[in-house]
Amino acid sequence: MNITIFNEGRDEKRKPEVLKVYPNTIGGALKEIVEEMEDATLLTIGSLYDEECGLTEEILEQTDVLIYWSHGGNREFPDAIAARIHEHVLRGMGFIVLHSAIGCKAFKSLMGTSCTFRYQHDVTEKVICCNKTHPIAEGIEDRFELPMEESYGEYMDIPKPDDVIFLGWFDNGEACRSGCTFTRGYGKIFMFQPGHETTPTFYHPQIKQIIKNACRWANPARKAEKAFNCIPL
Amino acid sequence: MNITIFNEGRDEKRKPEVLKVYPNTIGGALKEIVEEMEDATLLTIGSLYDEECGLTEEILEQTDVLIYWSHGGNREFPDAIAARIHEHVLRGMGFIVLHSAIGCKAFKSLMGTSCTFRYQHDVTEKVICCNKTHPIAEGIEDRFELPMEESYGEYMDIPKPDDVIFLGWFDNGEACRSGCTFTRGYGKIFMFQPGHETTPTFYHPQIKQIIKNACRWANPARKAEKAFNCIPL
Amino acid sequence: MNITIFNEGRDEKRKPEVLKVYPNTIGGALKEIVEEMEDATLLTIGSLYDEECGLTEEILEQTDVLIYWSHGGNREFPDAIAARIHEHVLRGMGFIVLHSAIGCKAFKSLMGTSCTFRYQHDVTEKVICCNKTHPIAEGIEDRFELPMEESYGEYMDIPKPDDVIFLGWFDNGEACRSGCTFTRGYGKIFMFQPGHETTPTFYHPQIKQIIKNACRWANPARKAEKAFNCIPL
Amino acid sequence: MNITIFNEGRDEKRKPEVLKVYPNTIGGALKEIVEEMEDATLLTIGSLYDEECGLTEEILEQTDVLIYWSHGGNREFPDAIAARIHEHVLRGMGFIVLHSAIGCKAFKSLMGTSCTFRYQHDVTEKVICCNKTHPIAEGIEDRFELPMEESYGEYMDIPKPDDVIFLGWFDNGEACRSGCTFTRGYGKIFMFQPGHETTPTFYHPQIKQIIKNACRWANPARKAEKAFNCIPL
């Protein structure tokens, strides 16, 4: 399985506290997760500051699963690269959408909704599994705590998920559908709420396991060689 | 729309505090809700202590929606009456399953699962709407608080709901799928977690509105005259 | 309920046989359906040849349900008007997507998929109800025949529907998910496969009833006054 | 993965034509499929005529996936064994329900519905894939033909499936949801319509592949050691 990581890279430049938590950047933390998977090869780590964001046609053509973290730069992400991601998802590429990447262009265009929500920083989260048989929940505890996270709250403007695997409980009185799957074309998509830039979420063993599980689940059994078209008989 | 209420009636006999909160019994509180619906006629209120639990074939035949509250008497409920409810749901009768009625025989046999969950008394709940377009959510706030309730927690052993309309957030760190719909045969089912016997939940205007909405949603557009059978062509 | 019809109007100009079947245009046939609804007011009938396609901001602001038929002009439909429809659906406007409108820009962007399928003209269809309790199936026969239609076939590249209400059976060996619902934002969407431009489908009493049912089902209980945004607490 | 087969065995005794098509019985044909799986061990093949139908507590305790074919003996199957299957499915055992096993007691009690349908013998079927990304569809053609089968038709009285993977098209004008998945407790269930006793369906390479895929998909990632119970905190 070939995995590509996109880490926006903007917060690392603007917020010194990000590099305190993630000295090798958020992309570096995600890279460690992929490197622990014996069945995965990391192709590249792109960012907003790389040519074509590192997500060239050649890279995406070889990518089985794209892990994507982004935040404040969602609006400046190039439309053409977002459309390219969208197209590759329809053709089968798995898409792991982490935290505020819920607002990225490619996810929004795949969902067809605004992908908006309520949010608040610096709260304690409990991730609660409500779908124990899903492959993404394999080996995951019934519930685990993230001492410091950002709450996302309902109403989240997302389409009805194929499966809701995790609920997020937050000590500020919020709750949300925290881990959700969607299918678009041949592509499997996992949206996961935790992962604020100044909290060590991507070091948490359960979070790491969930991301690994999600990559394996989203790894396409089949890909379409080109875009779908209507077919006259 | 003809509505029948089943209120087990056991807690009213055993726990004096129930009658402090519900001097006219829980069934009486549910009756008030039905009586506020201009489009509904209340047929009867059955209990565990009535002949055939008040749910005779004649009553169920005329019932469009059955509102059902039960608790500690779930196991002693007669199998034959549970089977009768099950059959009428398949033929179209709506079924509103309140609080610990989640463990009643008819709901369990309709679900095919154990309908078990974690629980704890005396917590504060927030009911959070995550499905704003569903008819059961019409006129309901994005979130409202029940100062004292019983938490139900995941893993709840229910089948994947048709729709999850409400999440329950609890101040003891629990969260659950609090308001869920299911369809079985021609019958629409709404399972709703709030409604502990010693808290004034069924007086809460939002809870009352949700139950009214649920009755209208579950009111069958079509009923089957008899049980379904395989049909040779 | 305020209803707006969009009938592309292109086939009426190019194919004389369309006006033989629909002397008042397809839009005229849809208009008759709306006029038979006592609970509906027809606002306007737009076409590809009207200014802003007849779908101005003012019209859509007042529209509760948009009935949309289009075909060969899907690609030339203005992007800005498609985006306007999309936005109004998210804010609550119902959207009834008939036949080859499945390929229109607004439906595709709401779905996030290519909305492609296999097709063949001049076949016999049976519309088969597989979801008898859905409001759109109210009063509809278990199955009915359309002697001449266009088959749509799987794999249809649509997201998993909220509900599949009708299957389409075709005498050329094809079958498809013919009537499907989706929710996006506050908007309810019904996609329905029958309705080829040279067959009298929109005169069929069952088809007319399905479209009326769909309008009533999609009529929004709540609308958002403006586009959704993330909300900091 | 430990697989157990249940083949009712009644038709082999009553209809000579069954043994013409399946000289080693239907169970023998299913055994061949399992034996072609390098990752599976066949525990046993039970029948209606074996003690405890061959489905003892010890066998089911070790079984990861139960493949089940039955027909005219559904009503005489022992209630206690059906309840045992039900319980093991909730605890994680995969359950592959073939053809008229749709009417067997364990499947009906897991579904909560009558599991009835329309049917007709001696028709041609096309199995059409409408969910290309599902693991059960891996390596399966978009459509394939079974020259002689039994049609099942809608309305099939089953709950809304988690996923509809295959549609069945039949040359007698019928169509149905032919291949469907459900989850109950920790158990994954695949219901598959083809497999009439006098047609060589279980020799068809695509059918064999679907059954193998289904076993792998239903193989539980986790099992519950005992029945679920409500848990006070």
Side-chain angles (χ1 to χ4, degrees), chain D residues 68-135:
Chain D
Y68 194 109
W69 192 97
S70 64
H71 184 212
N74 279 332
R75 289 185 190 191
E76 39 187 294
F77 191 88
D79 287 344
I81 312 294
R84 183 186 289 163
I85 295 169
H86 186 132
E87 184 58 36
H88 278 276
V89 170
L90 294 190
R91 287 171 49 195
M93 184 178 75
F95 191 25
I96 312 300
V97 177
L98 297 174
H99 196 59
S100 36
I102 293 174
C104 82
K105 288 178 183 174
F107 184 64
K108 285 168 68 173
S109 68
L110 285 158
M111 295 297 103
T113 62
S114 69
C115 299
T116 52
F117 45 84
R118 294 152 54 101
Y119 63 95
Q120 189 170 42
H121 295 152
D122 298 338
V123 303
T124 294
E125 173 168 7
K126 288 181 201 288
V127 178
I128 297 172
C129 182
C130 60
N131 190 327
K132 309 252 297 199
T133 62
H134 197 283

Side-chain angles (χ1 to χ4, degrees), chain B residues 48-68:
Chain B
L48 196 53
Y49 307 100
D50 294 323
E51 198 171 342
E52 301 191 39
C53 300
L55 305 172
T56 62
E57 182 59 36
E58 291 64 36
I59 285 289
L60 293 191
E61 187 70 34
Q62 300 171 62
T63 300
D64 293 310
V65 180
L66 173 63
I67 302 176
Y68 194 109

Side-chain angles (χ1 to χ4, degrees), chain A residues 46-117:
Chain A
S47 85
L48 196 53
Y49 307 101
D50 294 323
E51 198 170 341
E52 301 191 36
C53 301
L55 305 172
T56 61
E57 182 60 37
E58 293 66 34
I59 284 291
L60 292 191
E61 186 71 34
Q62 299 170 65
T63 300
D64 294 309
V65 179
L66 174 63
I67 301 175
Y68 194 109
W69 191 97
S70 64
H71 183 212
N74 280 332
R75 289 186 189 189
E76 36 187 297
F77 192 87
D79 288 345
I81 312 295
R84 183 186 288 162
I85 295 169
H86 186 132
E87 184 59 36
H88 278 276
V89 170
L90 294 190
R91 287 170 51 194
M93 185 178 74
F95 191 25
I96 312 300
V97 177
L98 297 175
H99 195 60
S100 37
I102 293 174
C104 83
K105 288 179 182 173
F107 184 64
K108 285 168 68 173
S109 69
L110 286 158
M111 295 299 101
T113 62
S114 68
C115 299
T116 52
F117 45 84

